[in-house]
Amino acid sequence: MFPELEERVRDAISAHVETHYGVSVEIVIEKPPKPEFGELAIPVGFALAKSLKRSPRGIVEEISESITSIPGVESIEPAGAGYVNVRLDRAAYAQAVRTLPKETTASSEKIIVEHTNINPNKAAHIGHLRNAVLGDTLVRMLRALGYEVEIQNYIDNTGVQVADVVAAFHYLEQKTPAEVKILADDPDTQFDYYCWDLYARVSQLYEKDDSTRSWRSETLQAIEAGEGLQSKIADIVSNAIVNNHLKTMRRICVNYDVLPRESEILHLEFWSSAFELLKEKDAIYFEDQGKNKGCWVMPVELFKTKELAKSNEVIQGNNETSGISSDTREESKVIVRSDGTVTYVGKDIAYQLWKFGLLGKDFYYQPLFTDSKKHTVWVSSSKPTDNPGPKFGSGRKVYNVIDVRQSYLQDVVSGGLRALGFEQEAKDSIHFSYEMVALSPRCCTELGIELSEEDRRRPHVEVSGRKGLGVKADDLINILIENALEEVQIRHTEVSEKKQRAIATEIAIGALRYFMLKFTRTSVIAFDFQEALSFEGETGPYIQYAAVRARNILRKLVDRGETLPDFETELDMAAFRRQLKVEDFWQILLAASKRGSTIEKSITVGEPAQLARFGFHLAQTFNNFYHCYHILNEKDPERRIFLLWMTQFFLQELEQVLDTMGIPAPEVM
């Protein structure tokens, strides 16, 4: 509602200025410094003073006198040296808020959001949770604004990380594909955990014995060719671990539409087509000398950020490294290695072209599973199937949710699009980056991680999956649930153990997701169990508890034998006008009704933390309202109905903002 009024005011003043003064200026809307000055402040006098050669104050006095009517506006007044202050019609605003349609207007613009993208070689870790939560919340915000959004989770099943685990099974443990399959199917093995340890072992072996590094190259070639024992093991490993990852993400309310796999990028010749296009446009060239001899490389002048090419330490996607020096990186980027295997970024250029519908090719698809809400998740296939599935890809805008260390690679991908003449698509390729997740020293202690005295004094402790020191996502979720369960058992002895655990799980999800969202994307997070699970302060449980409080008020009304009033009949314009003369009520309503504008701003600046902050302030506002007004015991009939309507409105907005953040709203806490 609030954004629509802002736009209406902006359009009215802009049209008036153009008609009366013959000039066009940007109408900027600000928030007045004090509530008594109104709801909107517009410094239009200053914007016009130079071109009209008049005083700003005189201009705004004239504008305020001339514009006599804007729907939803009570008055327009000159203010200060050159402002127009706007006061809204409070009763009309309340009635509009009450009658807002529940559904948003659909947009024909399709947006693709690619997120999670965990290498299918080991268990998901705490950093992957931040990626998935950010990506999922971005999807929910876009859908809340009416956009068609397709959620993709790219599966890098032919990359270095998978090759390392496959090499460990094949060379180190000397297991056959059949033996690996038995291991993967054994529920007691926790296969993704097993591979976590195996990946750490083989990584450490590479560092100790250079001769073992040939395992990686040989395995990569076998996987890309789709031939041999290593290729069969790779299929078993990646398929099993993808299923583990999906189970982990479903625990925190994250789902997907389609899982494009890197193997199909190769087998369906997506990469071959992209490779020919890149050569045709001279976007890459064959290097016949120096360190990159025998490689196909992209010249650095195609990249948007050359400094990143020089300084970024992680130069292959998903932490893949190739041993190319900083100096070489400054000159060019290897797209195809001298052994003929394709780097991550080469395959990603082909994938990005497909996302925009620019490749002239498509995957085949098969259903992976259908969840309890009858939503089917599809996976790419290299062979035709009886059920071709929906039409995927061909988006107008693409968000790639990948950590900040991959900025260089994202620039290379965009550079590839620009080199092929796809300037607009390059602009619409948005790297939705974020910083790493570390642990607080206190959290490390709770996880049983031994720290040095120096680490105990640090604000956060970095972890390393490659060294086997990472924190597995499922372990983190389990600990959050158990900690929340202790509190639930104290508060709700009357409910069953099953119900207690269900409540604790919802609280744990809320704690985790909010903690991942409340920090700006450029902030390094130091995760802390106690801070995340607190019922006080800026936490998910604090917002959940506010929703429970609002619901309890309405439940108590029913327990008294009363029914919720018919607000449309009981609260007409006159009633709203009387009640909203109370400044506190008006400011509360105004603050509680800005979810839509907050989501719009969060999308515009690319910062879900703004929505998280709004959710916290909304909960704070309701809790103040709850403590200040005895809703059910209010003696004045009209005031009581108004307070009940406000309670219902708060509950609606709290539930909506929680849902947009992917956080459950528990029945009790």
Side-chain angles (χ1 to χ4, degrees), residues 559-591:
D559 291 343
R560 291 184 178 188
E562 300 180 59
T563 58
L564 205 61
D566 180 354
F567 295 123
E568 192 168 345
T569 302
E570 300 283 356
L571 290 175
D572 57 13
M573 288 281 281
F576 273 134
R577 191 161 282 114
R578 284 189 292 270
Q579 296 304 319
L580 290 171
K581 283 182 180 177
V582 179
E583 189 65 27
D584 193 33
F585 289 167
W586 171 239
Q587 293 302 328
I588 287 172
L589 176 61
L590 204 58

Side-chain angles (χ1 to χ4, degrees), residues 66-276:
S66 302
I67 300 179
T68 56
S69 177
I70 301 176
V73 170
E74 183 180 277
S75 67
I76 300 173
E77 306 161 0
Y83 277 85
V84 168
N85 280 0
V86 177
R87 298 182 189 278
L88 301 182
D89 183 328
R90 298 182 178 188
Y93 187 86
Q95 193 166 57
V97 164
R98 187 181 66 193
T99 57
L100 276 176
K102 295 294 184 285
E103 299 296 327
T104 53
T105 304
S107 169
S108 59
E109 180 179 300
K110 180 179 181 179
I111 296 176
I112 291 172
V113 177
E114 176 203 345
H115 70 80
T116 306
N117 308 345
I118 310 171
N119 289 312
N121 70 319
K122 59 185 173 64
H125 60 61
I126 187 172
H128 297 133
L129 293 177
R130 187 176 195 186
N131 183 307
V133 169
L134 282 171
D136 184 66
T137 304
L138 174 62
V139 168
R140 291 167 183 265
M141 291 194 299
L142 288 165
R143 286 180 173 170
L145 297 181
Y147 289 104
E148 177 191 355
V149 185
E150 180 176 300
I151 316 167
Q152 298 185 6
N153 178 5
Y154 183 68
I155 308 301
D156 181 7
N157 60 342
T158 67
V160 168
Q161 283 73 25
V162 171
D164 284 347
V165 172
V166 171
F169 274 123
H170 183 70
Y171 295 104
L172 189 61
E173 297 201 333
Q174 297 185 345
K175 290 190 185 297
T176 65
E179 289 171 328
V180 176
K181 184 73 166 67
I182 291 170
L183 202 61
D185 292 342
D186 182 0
D188 295 328
T189 299
Q190 282 191 286
F191 187 67
D192 54 342
Y193 281 37
Y194 184 97
C195 290
W196 176 289
D197 295 333
L198 191 59
Y199 179 63
R201 281 173 57 199
V202 76
S203 296
Q204 290 162 13
L205 183 60
Y206 286 161
E207 292 178 7
K208 293 178 182 177
D209 184 356
D210 281 344
S211 66
T212 60
R213 290 180 178 272
S214 63
W215 296 355
R216 174 186 285 174
S217 177
E218 292 167 11
T219 304
L220 268 175
Q221 290 181 62
I223 292 172
E224 287 196 9
E227 299 172 352
L229 296 178
Q230 290 109 310
S231 178
K232 291 179 181 178
I233 294 174
D235 284 343
I236 295 165
V237 168
S238 60
N239 290 339
I241 290 183
V242 164
N243 284 329
N244 289 133
H245 290 168
L246 295 178
K247 288 176 185 176
T248 300
M249 294 306 154
R250 286 200 295 275
R251 296 183 73 187
I252 60 168
C253 306
V254 173
N255 212 333
Y256 313 93
D257 296 318
V258 63
L259 278 56
R261 298 189 303 181
E262 192 170 271
S263 53
E264 275 75 59
I265 295 282
L266 297 171
H267 299 158
L268 292 174
E269 299 186 344
F270 282 30
W271 162 244
S272 297
S273 297
F275 188 34
E276 293 305 315

Side-chain angles (χ1 to χ4, degrees), residues 438-445 449-463 469:
L439 302 174
S440 71
R442 180 169 62 184
C443 184
C444 289
T445 300
I449 299 173
E450 292 187 13
L451 298 179
S452 65
E453 284 299 324
E454 183 182 358
D455 281 339
R456 287 194 186 98
R457 292 191 293 269
R458 295 181 188 276
H460 62 261
V461 179
E462 294 184 30
V463 290
L469 299 175

Side-chain angles (χ1 to χ4, degrees), residues 383-453:
K383 297 177 181 178
T385 58
D386 294 335
N387 186 351
K391 172 66 178 173
F392 294 113
S394 299
R396 202 215 47 88
K397 182 179 290 186
V398 174
Y399 287 89
N400 296 323
V401 184
I402 306 176
D403 77 54
V404 72
R405 293 171 296 177
Q406 310 305 320
S407 297
Y408 164 60
L409 284 178
Q410 289 297 299
D411 280 345
V412 176
V413 171
S414 294
L417 293 182
R418 285 193 300 272
L420 293 173
F422 301 121
E423 286 286 345
Q424 189 57 52
E425 287 79 3
K427 290 177 183 176
D428 289 331
S429 296
I430 301 166
H431 180 200
F432 204 74
S433 62
Y434 60 93
E435 272 289 358
M436 69 173 184
V437 182
L439 302 174
S440 71
R442 180 169 62 184
C443 184
C444 289
T445 300
E446 291 185 57
L447 289 166
I449 299 173
E450 292 187 13
L451 298 179
S452 65
E453 284 299 324

